[in-house]
Amino acid sequence: MEQFQNHELEYVVDEFSDFDDFTDSPRSSDVDDDLDSDFEDDFELSKSKNDTSALEARNGKDIQGIPWERMNFTRDKYRETRLKQYKNYENLSLSHEELEKECKEVEKGHNFYDFQFNTRLVKSTIVHFQLRNLLSSTSKHDVYLMQNYSLMHWSSILRKGKEVLNVAKPVVPTLKYPGSLSQTLSRVQISTMTVKDNLMVAGGFRGELICKNLNQPGVAFCTKITTDENAITNTVDIYHTPSGLMRVMAANNDALVRIFDTNNFTCLNQFSFPWSVNNTSISPDGRLVAVLGDSPECLIADAQSGKVVSTLKGHLDYSFASAWHPDGLTFATGNQDTTCRLWDIRNLSQSVSVLKGRMGAVRALRFTSDGRFMAMAEPADFIHIFDTKSDYSKCQEIDLFGEIAGISFSPDTEALFIGVADRTYGSLLEFNRKHFNQYLECIF
């Protein structure tokens, strides 16, 4: 992964994703947190003046609250300009001519998830332009995200945010035992995070690893897992072994993947690879791990031994995203060549499909727990939701403006959360799964 210094913890935003020059709307830091007590209808909860509800969106308000009517150009014109001028970041400059021919024809315009709510009371931030796993949902009402030095919890029922952990202050581990690698950390710049089974795990810009049990006070474990000069923790994952034991996997720029026990957080194993590891994901049965990094090739390795069992070829640049379908047979890889490749574990000689984004790299991939949909996020502006039952030939395209800090389906598949990092319109977007032939459709 590209080494990137970020001493000021600024958002990494393209000039066209920051609207400061185009609107007199208040900055997100100036948002009035007072809640409006007037309900728009029986289903409208109190909300900030700068938030957008489904009802307001149906009545014509922009879902991000961007006041296009006060600007000297339309949304369509701005989109046209953005598409022309956005520059996708590439590490390897290779011709995409043949790649374009491989891409699957996709039928756009479908609507699998409906816009539900957008709040600017919490707003995602990012610290590295290539790392976008900074948001994690644990239910259709609960989502965790990074906001500067705070790990925040947002409740979509209460419509309130709460700080869960502040990493600008000294982070002191509560779990200490002889031989423990735990150490006090301070001013950690969180580069990646995930939450699962009441465990929050975050990785830091200088090789930190932080593990917090959400149902317990304090931080159970924190340390610097590497002292390498370019030590960014690029991705963290929580998974279960075939025997049911819970583990934490951390991948770093020092080309190592480390496995930690979740009882005492000892490092059980580490695997070395020939390049910086940008992303890992574990198969549903816990036996295999997809390993992606600073190489056009992606690897499939044994999750217990780290031994590479297959090398996947087809991408043209570095990879930063992967995800497994719940059936364990299909998995997806996302690359800076602006494509996602789908693979069948039973025949890895070539990918089975190539899906194309609109303007940038594929930075995040997520499947719903029932395997019906796959979400693919670009660095900015576009999230694509594919219907897997149509062999990924039907797609919903969510079109917004701003850098995308992370995407997450709720475990029950009912909600999709999107973190937007922008100086003015940084926010958290919520979409709800569309259900047909249900009486509630007539009122929502």
Side-chain angles (χ1 to χ4, degrees):
M1 186 187 68
E2 190 80 2
Q3 189 166 4
F4 173 75
Q5 298 301 321
N6 187 18
H7 300 299
E8 301 301 322
L9 196 60
E10 289 286 344
Y11 318 145
V12 183
V13 291
D14 183 272
E15 59 178 324
F16 284 95
S17 69
D18 186 356
F19 292 83
D20 285 344
D21 296 334
F22 304 112
T23 175
D24 56 1
S25 177
R27 296 179 62 87
S28 55
S29 59
D30 299 327
V31 168
D32 182 0
D33 288 353
D34 293 335
L35 297 179
D36 186 353
S37 62
D38 294 328
F39 286 8
E40 291 177 316
D41 60 27
D42 290 342
F43 303 98
E44 276 291 287
L45 296 178
S46 300
K47 66 184 186 64
S48 164
K49 294 176 182 177
N50 284 318
D51 291 347
T52 305
S53 69
L55 178 64
E56 288 174 321
R58 288 196 296 271
N59 289 334
K61 183 179 179 180
D62 181 85
I63 63 171
Q64 294 179 269
I66 301 171
W68 298 105
E69 68 280 0
R70 300 212 304 267
M71 298 183 181
N72 56 7
F73 48 79
T74 65
R75 188 187 197 282
D76 289 343
K77 184 63 178 178
Y78 190 77
R79 170 54 67 211
E80 181 184 339
T81 301
R82 175 85 161 147
L83 288 170
K84 288 179 180 178
Q85 300 192 10
Y86 184 87
K87 294 181 180 180
N88 180 52
Y89 185 86
E90 297 178 345
N91 286 94
L92 305 176
S93 298
L94 299 173
S95 172
H96 288 202
E97 186 175 342
E98 291 300 316
L99 180 63
E100 297 287 341
K101 298 176 183 178
E102 284 189 79
C103 294
K104 187 180 185 73
E105 289 289 333
V106 174
E107 182 182 288
K108 296 183 180 180
H110 291 271
N111 188 35
F112 308 127
Y113 280 78
D114 285 329
F115 170 75
Q116 180 67 19
F117 199 74
N118 181 56
T119 182
R120 281 192 249 163
L121 293 180
V122 289
K123 40 199 172 288
S124 293
T125 54
I126 56 179
V127 298
H128 194 286
F129 69 104
Q130 291 170 308
L131 302 177
R132 304 304 179 88
N133 293 308
L134 290 165
L135 183 146
S136 187
S137 168
T138 56
S139 84
K140 64 182 178 181
H141 303 304
D142 300 278
V143 63
Y144 296 82
L145 66 153
M146 286 308 305
Q147 179 173 304
N148 296 321
Y149 283 102
S150 297
L151 190 142
M152 301 292 295
H153 168 257
W154 171 258
S155 168
S156 63
I157 293 180
L158 301 176
R159 291 186 179 169
K160 289 184 178 180
K162 179 182 179 181
E163 185 180 72
V164 176
L165 178 65
N166 187 315
V167 292
K169 304 173 183 178
V171 182
V172 182
T174 59
L175 183 63
K176 296 181 180 180
Y177 52 90
S180 170
L181 297 175
S182 282
Q183 61 185 107
T184 298
L185 305 173
S186 62
R187 296 192 67 79
V188 180
Q189 294 179 321
I190 299 298
S191 50
T192 183
M193 58 83 71
T194 189
V195 181
K196 185 177 181 181
D197 294 343
N198 265 327
L199 179 65
M200 183 279 293
V201 179
F205 201 73
R206 295 188 295 271
E208 299 95 340
L209 182 69
I210 299 172
C211 301
K212 174 179 173 58
N213 294 304
L214 294 176
N215 55 358
Q216 298 176 15
V219 168
F221 174 79
C222 57
T223 193
K224 273 193 174 185
I225 58 177
T226 175
T227 57
D228 191 276
E229 184 177 345
N230 187 12
I232 305 173
T233 304
N234 293 325
T235 188
V236 289
D237 199 6
I238 301 169
Y239 69 100
H240 290 87
T241 67
S243 60
L245 299 173
M246 193 160 73
R247 299 284 186 256
V248 169
M249 179 175 285
N252 285 70
N253 244 30
D254 62 0
L256 291 176
V257 171
R258 297 168 176 85
I259 312 296
F260 292 85
D261 170 63
T262 56
N263 288 323
N264 52 23
F265 297 100
T266 55
C267 184
L268 302 176
N269 212 339
Q270 64 180 34
F271 313 135
S272 178
F273 294 95
W275 23 255
S276 294
V277 181
N278 300 327
N279 181 269
T280 59
S281 59
I282 304 289
S283 62
D285 63 6
R287 298 182 184 278
L288 297 173
V289 55
V291 183
L292 301 80
D294 287 2
S295 169
E297 297 180 348
C298 303
L299 307 176
I300 297 295
D302 182 278
Q304 283 194 304
S305 67
K307 181 181 178 181
V308 174
V309 297
S310 190
T311 300
L312 315 180
K313 298 183 179 181
H315 282 302
L316 302 181
D317 209 303
Y318 294 174
S319 294
F320 285 84
S322 64
W324 290 78
H325 189 282
D327 66 10
L329 300 178
T330 302
F331 66 97
T333 55
N335 193 273
Q336 290 186 155
D337 63 13
T338 74
T339 69
C340 163
R341 285 183 180 265
L342 298 168
W343 309 83
D344 189 323
I345 197 67
R346 295 163 294 189
N347 181 6
L348 295 171
S349 58
Q350 62 181 15
S351 57
V352 295
S353 289
V354 183
L355 306 175
K356 182 78 168 59
R358 280 289 295 276
M359 66 181 194
V362 176
R363 294 287 183 205
L365 292 164
R366 298 287 186 272
F367 282 97
T368 52
S369 59
D370 62 1
R372 178 64 191 273
F373 300 107
M374 184 190 77
M376 179 179 90
E378 299 186 38
D381 293 21
F382 292 104
I383 296 95
H384 311 269
I385 306 173
F386 295 91
D387 176 14
T388 65
K389 283 194 173 182
S390 70
D391 193 28
Y392 303 84
S393 65
K394 296 180 179 180
C395 176
Q396 174 183 358
E397 185 175 88
I398 298 175
D399 179 332
L400 51 86
F401 290 99
E403 299 288 309
I404 298 166
I407 56 173
S408 181
F409 287 111
S410 61
D412 64 1
T413 79
E414 290 300 309
L416 169 64
F417 294 96
I418 302 167
V420 179
D422 184 84
R423 290 186 180 93
T424 302
Y425 294 100
S427 68
L428 177 67
L429 284 150
E430 178 187 350
F431 287 75
N432 282 2
R433 187 165 176 171
K434 190 177 180 69
H435 293 284
F436 298 92
N437 301 321
Q438 292 190 3
Y439 77 96
L440 287 177
E441 283 296 300
C442 67
I443 56 177
F444 288 102

